[in-house]
Amino acid sequence: MKRVFQQLLQAVTDNGSLVSCEVRFWDGERLRIGEEEPAFVLGFETERALKRTLSEGSLGFGEEYMAGHITVEGDWQPLIRLGLDPRIQNLKLPWHVALRMLWHAVTSRNTLRRAPRNIAYHYDRGNEFYRLWLDESMTYSCAYFRRPDDTLEQAQQQKYEHICRKLQLQLGDTLVDIGCGWGGMLMYAARHYGVRGVGCTLSQPQVEWARATVAREHLEQFIRIERQDYRQLSGQFDKLVSIGMFEHVGKQFIPTFMAQARALLKPGGLGLLHTIGKDRPSAGDPWTMKYIFPGAYLPLLDEILREMGKAGLVPIDVENLRLHYSETLRQWRQRFEAHAAEIEAMFDARFVRMWRMFLNSAEAGFRYGNLRLYQITFTNGLNNALPWTREHLYVEALNREVSPSLISTR
């Protein structure tokens, strides 16, 4: 097993990843790759940990790391980058593991009954947990960095401004937010553009936080937050937005989502879908789907556009914010590590290792792998009154990051 792992690691590093690293085995033997100071030291504390890594890929590695049988010292990013090599990604899972993952996928589909449990698994960890490492608006989605030194707080507000411009929000517009999270988008749109909005989420802690914030900022006449499945929303709105929720819909329910988007949007209305996706087919990561996002599915770009077309929605603009999400995750990871001791006290060491691996894997996945972040603007049917260029997105924003507030929040 040691020899196989050495040959695999050497082949990957020789292929251009160019990283020096060290591997420490359970019996004290050490393997060194490269001549420079190791970027990371990977430790296998048991023989079984190496065996499961070789036979089960990320699932085996992740479970053994969570259990403390694998250690990582130093920089995770080059380690994850090595793990994204096709020769490692294409390792075949044993039949019993593949069968177990298939069963997990089938039993975690986002039906009306199952979806609340899937969402609760990830989002109902408690508002205090997320407050430790998100920005002050509690925004849990890709930010928008206009400059390299933007803070996370600045970048999240700039993301909301960017979306508002794409939606061409006007005073008095109605806006529905599918998967509104802690309500950051709706509150920004109400404050800066004077819109009236409705948001839905299945997470009770998010509802409680969002409603309390709406009340504290005196926005009750503008915003309503509902604990409701998107399939049960009713009404028609001038604009629609969905940020970081579409990944939770599931492949089976993509047509359902598109049909509901059309039903909620007025004819000619503008919508924006902000979602993680991929531009080429690849297998979903079994560890992430089991431990982080049960029921999730990362759609292909052409799959999204095709289903939009079938539903009568017309895509008018697509932007890929891949590197913006990698930077967002880097800043989340740093904040998470700064509060690791507090988080361990809230939960346990296994939980901290699980989230550490998740944040590092996602960051590297956007920078080096097959993860993309798409913002797709669309209309409900044809709309010939829209601008012909993107100038409205950028010309007025040259000297300011966000629009001035229209509403007092005293």
Side-chain angles (χ1 to χ4, degrees):
M1 285 191 298
K2 292 178 184 176
R3 187 166 61 251
V4 169
F5 186 74
Q6 179 179 2
Q7 291 171 348
L8 183 61
L9 193 60
Q10 188 71 58
V12 172
T13 55
D14 288 348
N15 194 39
S17 295
L18 298 177
V19 64
S20 294
C21 60
E22 184 176 296
V23 182
R24 185 182 64 241
F25 296 105
W26 57 92
D27 58 5
E29 181 180 349
R30 291 175 179 265
L31 167 65
R32 186 75 173 264
I33 301 291
E35 299 179 357
E36 299 176 359
E37 186 71 17
F40 63 85
V41 178
L42 176 62
F44 292 100
E45 303 301 320
T46 66
E47 183 178 350
R48 184 173 185 269
L50 176 58
K51 182 178 180 179
R52 290 197 66 202
T53 297
L54 289 172
S55 64
E56 300 178 32
S58 70
L59 181 63
F61 179 91
E63 290 183 342
E64 292 297 318
Y65 175 72
M66 288 160 58
H69 301 151
I70 291 176
T71 60
V72 180
E73 302 169 14
D75 191 355
W76 274 80
Q77 293 303 293
L79 171 61
I80 301 297
R81 186 179 183 183
L82 292 176
L84 292 171
D85 186 275
R87 279 165 291 194
I88 296 178
Q89 288 285 300
N90 294 333
L91 289 173
K92 290 185 179 296
L93 293 176
W95 68 269
H96 61 92
V97 176
L99 186 62
R100 182 156 49 100
M101 295 312 300
L102 176 61
W103 173 252
H104 178 74
V106 170
T107 56
S108 62
R109 287 184 300 177
N110 284 297
T111 60
L112 279 168
R113 181 178 180 181
R114 180 68 201 188
R117 283 182 285 171
N118 286 342
I119 292 301
Y121 182 85
H122 188 86
Y123 293 96
D124 290 5
R125 300 295 187 177
N127 292 328
E128 285 306 302
F129 165 61
Y130 287 101
R131 187 186 61 80
L132 288 175
W133 50 277
L134 295 180
D135 71 301
E136 60 189 12
S137 71
M138 294 285 279
T139 299
Y140 189 30
S141 55
C142 174
Y144 185 71
F145 295 86
R146 296 186 64 209
R147 302 180 186 87
D149 60 348
D150 283 340
T151 66
L152 184 61
E153 281 73 18
Q154 287 175 313
Q156 292 294 11
Q157 295 301 294
Q158 288 165 186
K159 183 264 295 296
Y160 289 141
E161 176 68 17
H162 195 52
I163 290 175
C164 288
R165 289 176 180 275
K166 288 186 175 185
L167 290 174
Q168 299 176 51
L169 292 183
Q170 303 292 327
L171 182 66
D173 272 352
T174 55
L175 173 67
V176 60
D177 187 345
I178 298 178
C180 66
W182 286 272
M185 174 68 206
L186 283 172
M187 284 183 261
Y188 185 93
R191 287 192 215 104
H192 297 274
Y193 286 86
V195 307
R196 299 180 183 276
V198 175
C200 70
T201 174
L202 290 173
S203 170
Q204 185 61 32
Q206 288 183 338
V207 168
E208 293 170 0
W209 177 284
R211 287 177 176 172
T213 307
V214 166
R216 185 171 63 251
E217 299 200 8
H218 307 289
L219 295 172
E220 300 99 318
Q221 61 178 314
F222 297 94
I223 297 171
R224 189 173 83 248
I225 306 292
E226 301 289 350
R227 185 171 187 265
Q228 192 172 31
D229 191 283
Y230 72 96
R231 289 163 284 200
Q232 298 172 322
L233 283 174
S234 60
Q236 280 204 314
F237 302 83
D238 299 305
K239 309 290 169 63
L240 177 149
V241 69
S242 184
I243 304 172
M245 177 272 181
F246 190 65
E247 303 92 321
H248 299 285
V249 166
K251 184 179 180 68
Q252 176 185 2
F253 296 105
I254 292 177
T256 303
F257 180 94
M258 297 303 177
Q260 178 67 334
R262 171 149 193 175
L264 291 170
L265 259 182
K266 294 178 180 178
L270 270 168
L272 184 138
L273 180 63
H274 172 118
T275 181
I276 300 171
K278 299 182 292 186
D279 49 31
R280 64 181 186 276
S282 63
D285 179 66
W287 180 83
T288 303
M289 298 308 169
K290 180 176 180 180
Y291 288 99
I292 304 298
F293 291 121
Y297 172 73
L298 302 184
L300 294 170
L301 178 59
D302 68 310
E303 188 174 23
I304 300 172
L305 300 179
R306 183 170 61 250
E307 294 300 332
M308 278 187 174
K310 288 180 180 178
L313 304 174
V314 182
I316 60 173
D317 188 70
V318 179
E319 185 173 16
N320 182 355
L321 299 178
R322 175 180 65 87
L323 291 177
H324 292 262
Y325 214 166
S326 182
E327 176 61 20
T328 304
L329 283 152
R330 187 187 70 83
Q331 295 202 30
W332 284 344
R333 173 174 58 82
Q334 290 179 334
R335 293 175 178 220
F336 178 90
E337 293 295 352
H339 295 283
E342 295 170 70
I343 295 169
E344 184 172 340
M346 287 180 177
F347 302 97
D348 56 27
R350 180 181 181 275
F351 182 89
V352 170
R353 288 193 289 266
M354 178 174 71
W355 274 79
R356 176 180 292 130
M357 180 168 162
F358 162 57
L359 292 171
N360 274 283
S361 299
E363 178 186 345
F366 282 101
R367 187 168 296 277
Y368 305 116
N370 193 26
L371 296 181
R372 311 288 181 258
L373 192 287
Y374 296 118
Q375 283 191 351
I376 305 172
T377 312
F378 59 90
T379 57
N380 182 5
L382 296 178
N383 185 335
N384 293 337
L386 298 176
W388 286 20
T389 72
R390 292 177 173 177
E391 290 183 17
H392 63 286
L393 297 182
Y394 305 112
V395 172
E396 295 179 8
L398 288 176
N399 297 314
R400 67 184 185 202
E401 288 76 18
V402 300
S403 292
S405 178
L406 299 178
I407 300 170
S408 171
T409 57
R410 49 187 170 77

